Amino acid sequence: MDLLQILVLALIQALTEFLPISSSAHLVLASHFVGWDYQGLAFDLALHVGTLLAVLVYFRRDFLELLRAVLAWRPGAVPTPELRLALALAIGTLPAAIAGVLLGESGAMALRQLPFIALNLVLFGLLLWQAERRAPRQPADAPMEPAGVAFAVIDLRAAALIGCAQALALMPGVSRSGVTMTAALMLGLARVPAARFAFLLSAPIMLLAGGHAGLQLALADAAVAWDEFALGTAVSAVAGIAVIHGFLGVIRRIGVAPFVIYRLLLGAAIVAWIVLTAR
């Protein structure tokens, strides 16, 4: 891989993993229109490691709270709000993990069709917009509450429902962060806490995806270009932190409208491309 391809793919991964515009759709489109071959297991793992680091670093206080609650728990003790949140994140991760195993590589490849991607971009973009319109309002300058307080409305049933929504993101064009936010908004969270919960929920599934890619890499016994791996990880991590910060600022002040508009325009552009090339 050349330097330009490494930088572009790492930036695409960071931007589209955290913004509600579908990373899988953009990676499919990049391969389709630019003509780049699949980057390989090692670089795929590097991108997952980078975006996982971005979430862990940016929300380090939340994750430390959850870790302390899990380590402090003893049988018979009343669960703390942080412990309940940690359990909710675990439950919310299960549907996507199970769906990913059942779908497999062949199933995932079958979904990488441009008409299907265009439909998902438009449909789930409109659902996100409707969910935000009905969600509770929160002042733009509202402080960031501790995780256990901010997500008190997320019980185990709500976590399971959000997890089922997250599983839909296996379809290119849906967007993991977008569909998770949509479900969280519908269940009563305001837009900033909904986005924050979506980011926290992304960590376990990215850890599983990275572990799967690492296992495949180990079993393949393939050579690793460690310079490409390190650069891809660093770029996706640094860019990911910037994207998370910028995204939270945008939805705090403006909402999801810019991302919904982008999804609609991209979906329309894909349809126009299909029509023009079919002639």
Side-chain angles (χ1 to χ4, degrees):
M1 295 173 62
D2 58 32
L3 179 61
L4 177 63
Q5 186 176 359
I6 293 172
L7 294 176
V8 169
L9 289 176
L11 289 173
I12 288 176
Q13 172 71 13
L15 286 167
T16 59
E17 178 66 37
F18 298 123
L19 299 182
I21 57 177
S22 180
S23 61
S24 56
H26 283 76
L27 290 172
V28 170
L29 293 173
S31 299
H32 185 82
F33 292 109
V34 181
W36 285 335
D37 294 328
Y38 174 58
Q39 63 267 18
L41 284 171
F43 194 73
D44 192 36
L45 176 59
L47 297 182
H48 280 102
V49 170
T51 46
L52 175 61
L53 286 175
V55 172
L56 294 178
V57 170
Y58 195 89
F59 294 101
R60 57 191 179 278
R61 293 180 182 176
D62 289 342
F63 285 115
L64 285 173
E65 284 182 26
L66 299 181
L67 180 60
R68 282 195 290 265
V70 171
L71 294 177
W73 180 78
R74 297 293 181 271
V78 177
T80 63
E82 291 76 17
L83 184 61
R84 287 196 294 269
L85 176 58
L87 182 57
L89 293 177
I91 290 174
T93 302
L94 285 176
I98 294 171
V101 172
L102 294 177
L103 186 64
E105 294 292 334
S106 59
M109 291 300 296
L111 297 175
R112 296 162 66 93
Q113 305 298 322
L114 292 185
F116 190 59
I117 291 173
L119 175 64
N120 286 335
L121 284 168
V122 172
L123 176 61
F124 285 92
L126 293 174
L127 286 175
L128 175 59
W129 178 59
Q130 283 297 317
E132 187 205 38
R133 290 185 63 193
R134 300 179 182 183
R137 297 299 174 187
Q138 188 179 50
D141 57 351
M144 191 82 78
E145 295 178 310
V149 175
F151 307 120
V153 300
I154 304 296
D155 56 16
L156 300 186
R157 173 181 170 275
L161 290 174
I162 295 174
C164 290
Q166 181 177 237
L168 296 174
L170 292 169
M171 300 184 295
V174 172
S175 169
R176 191 209 54 77
S177 63
V179 74
T180 307
M181 272 190 66
T182 300
L185 289 166
M186 289 180 173
L187 289 168
L189 288 182
R191 58 198 187 196
V192 172
R196 184 178 165 199
F197 187 81
F199 288 134
L200 294 180
L201 188 58
S202 72
I205 203 68
M206 285 193 291
L207 181 61
L208 290 175
H212 176 67
L215 179 61
Q216 286 185 306
L217 184 64
L219 293 176
D221 196 24
V224 177
W226 291 108
D227 54 342
E228 296 179 1
F229 187 100
L231 182 58
T233 299
V235 172
S236 59
V238 173
I241 292 171
V243 170
I244 293 171
H245 183 74
F247 176 62
L248 291 176
V250 169
I251 62 168
R252 186 187 300 274
R253 295 172 176 81
I254 302 174
V256 301
F259 308 102
V260 173
I261 293 171
Y262 175 81
R263 291 178 67 107
L264 297 179
L265 292 175
L266 181 58
I270 294 171
V271 172
W273 171 267
I274 294 170
V275 172
L276 290 173
T277 55
R279 293 180 179 178

